[in-house]
Amino acid sequence: EVLADYGRPTLAAQPVVDLTTGAVAGYELLARFGGPEAPAPDVWFRNADHLGLATALTTRVLAHAAALRPQLPPDTFLAVNIEPHLLSDPAVVHALHALPSLDRIVIELTGHTPVRDDRALHTAVDRIRQAGGQVAVDDAGTGYAGLRQLINVRPDIVKIDRDLITNIDTDPIRRGAVGLLSDLVCRMDAKVLAEGVETHGELQVLASLGVPLAQGWLLAAPGPPWSRPTPAVVDMLRRVNRQAGMTEQMAPLVRACVTVDRSVWCASNVPPPNADQRHTVVVDHHGQPVGIVAREARGARYLAPAMTVSESSTPIEVARRAMARASCHRGVPLICVDARGRSIGVIDVSELIDAAIQSADRQSTAAR
């Protein structure tokens, strides 16, 4: 009955909020099937899978999402949930890659069903990234979205399930679990997104743990595109940030750089003439960094892996991630990117460490 009506399901968009600024970083699309006592969306998709209709339902949602993307506000992403085993389905592949690119699209891999073919999943994830998209793992810490999937997929965003967020302000075990997950995600050079934030106490703990992104009814409810947090919510975030010492950001540390296309670098391995004065960032055809030109101890240049951070990240959070890199790359500058993942400058590691130490000193003084 739903599939016979092209207007169903309808889509609501819930803002994903940057906790350091109160700005909307992106929107998650949520399917709505209507009816006063309609089952939750995951029940619909699980039953559709049982009936052999999951592909048709998923491609319908993707078609509606594609129609919304041109209206997406600047500097935000659009997240769509897909079961991992459907990523290699020919109809889903066609629906995804019929778009000119997946720029600003985040594919959320849900944890409702087990991954049946790791190799097929890796191939699908690689193809999404090659098309300019990003990958998130939903419901981390519960269901099938365990450590194995996190390590295998190496997502760009890890969404911590609301079961771990609810009452985190009164439960030290939940607080410790989220802290451990956050540390692991930082080592993977990914971002943490906390789901289901509903109380001021939960928000305060997440801010103190350095969680950069969150969504939940406290911040903004799902609704018609494109809703934003109210001024009262933004003011609340500012107060929480002051209490948690998260107001310091990376923007003052960003320095100018030179960018060069990957094809040019691979063809010559010769940086631009002014590269001695500025760092050189190598980008792909979407403008997203793939590496930064570094020097070996003997002076030879090589392409070091890109570690990207946002302007709204905090020095302490970024310093932890930077020091989790392989020892040979810990001195390589970091690349600051905008919401679309494009390079806007580099951050010197020594300046970063100085800023992190000063931030920690100020937090310690405030706590005393």
Side-chain angles (χ1 to χ4, degrees):
E1 191 175 305
V2 167
L3 292 173
D5 180 357
Y6 188 75
R8 298 178 68 190
T10 58
L11 297 181
Q14 184 171 29
V16 174
V17 179
D18 185 327
L19 292 187
T20 61
T21 64
V24 175
Y27 293 88
E28 179 185 5
L29 292 180
L30 304 170
R32 294 292 181 258
F33 293 87
E37 298 181 3
D42 61 321
V43 176
W44 278 89
F45 281 91
R46 189 161 53 245
N47 288 340
D49 193 38
H50 179 69
L51 296 170
L53 298 173
T55 296
L57 191 55
T58 299
T59 54
R60 171 70 58 80
V61 170
L62 287 173
H64 289 180
L68 284 173
R69 187 172 71 159
Q71 308 162 28
L72 186 64
D75 300 324
T76 60
F77 61 77
L78 191 64
V80 185
N81 290 276
I82 300 181
E83 291 287 347
H85 70 280
L86 293 177
L87 277 185
S88 55
D89 184 286
V92 173
V93 171
H94 176 75
L96 271 177
H97 298 284
L99 299 170
S101 80
L102 294 180
D103 186 32
R104 302 174 70 192
I105 297 292
V106 175
I107 301 301
E108 289 190 16
L109 305 182
T110 61
H112 305 143
T113 56
V115 176
R116 301 165 185 169
D117 187 338
D118 284 339
R119 181 173 297 179
L121 177 61
H122 290 166
T123 300
V125 166
D126 287 345
R127 189 171 180 185
I128 288 168
R129 288 182 169 134
Q130 289 167 7
Q134 292 186 307
V135 177
V137 167
D138 200 6
D139 303 327
T142 65
Y144 294 100
L147 291 178
R148 180 171 174 271
Q149 184 164 319
L150 291 180
I151 292 170
N152 286 342
V153 173
R154 303 293 172 94
D156 304 286
I157 299 173
V158 175
K159 301 187 68 175
I160 299 180
D161 188 78
R162 64 175 300 174
D163 284 348
L164 291 177
I165 302 302
T166 301
N167 298 325
I168 191 174
D169 53 322
T170 59
D171 187 341
I173 302 302
R174 280 186 168 85
R175 192 156 57 245
V178 171
L180 288 171
L181 266 174
S182 297
D183 184 59
L184 172 62
V185 172
C186 284
R187 291 175 183 271
M188 294 166 58
D189 196 17
K191 288 186 177 181
V192 174
L193 195 167
E195 295 185 281
V197 181
E198 296 186 355
T199 70
H200 191 271
E202 292 167 358
L203 183 63
Q204 284 183 309
V205 171
L206 294 172
S208 69
L209 291 173
V211 173
L213 301 173
Q215 61 185 130
W217 284 78
L218 179 69
L219 301 170
W226 308 97
S227 61
R228 308 183 71 84
T230 65
V233 169
V234 175
D235 287 341
M236 175 184 65
L237 283 170
R238 287 173 180 160
R239 291 195 301 272
V240 169
N241 286 337
R242 284 195 293 270
Q243 294 169 357
M246 287 182 64
T247 53
E248 298 172 13
Q249 299 177 11
M250 300 304 299
L253 302 179
V254 178
R255 303 290 179 257
C257 66
V258 176
T259 58
V260 60
D261 188 83
R262 176 168 52 187
S263 60
V264 175
W265 167 260
C266 291
S268 64
N269 280 19
V270 176
N274 55 347
D276 288 335
Q277 287 75 43
R278 295 182 176 180
H279 290 289
T280 301
V281 174
V282 179
V283 299
D284 62 16
H285 61 286
H286 298 290
Q288 297 179 343
V290 296
I292 183 168
V293 177
R295 285 184 181 272
E296 296 177 341
R298 297 180 179 179
R301 289 187 174 95
Y302 73 100
L303 189 62
M307 176 181 163
T308 60
V309 300
S310 67
E311 284 185 289
S312 60
S313 301
T314 63
I316 293 176
E317 169 200 347
V318 174
R320 288 187 183 129
R321 291 174 56 196
M323 293 302 101
R325 295 184 291 180
S327 58
C328 58
H329 297 313
R330 286 177 188 163
V332 175
L334 286 60
I335 305 170
C336 190
V337 296
D338 60 19
R340 301 179 68 179
R342 294 176 177 174
S343 171
I344 58 176
V346 297
I347 296 168
D348 182 81
V349 173
S350 61
E351 291 185 15
L352 168 66
I353 298 301
D354 285 344
I357 292 171
Q358 293 172 21
S359 179
D361 287 344
R362 281 191 287 270
Q363 290 186 29
S364 177
T365 300
R368 289 198 296 270

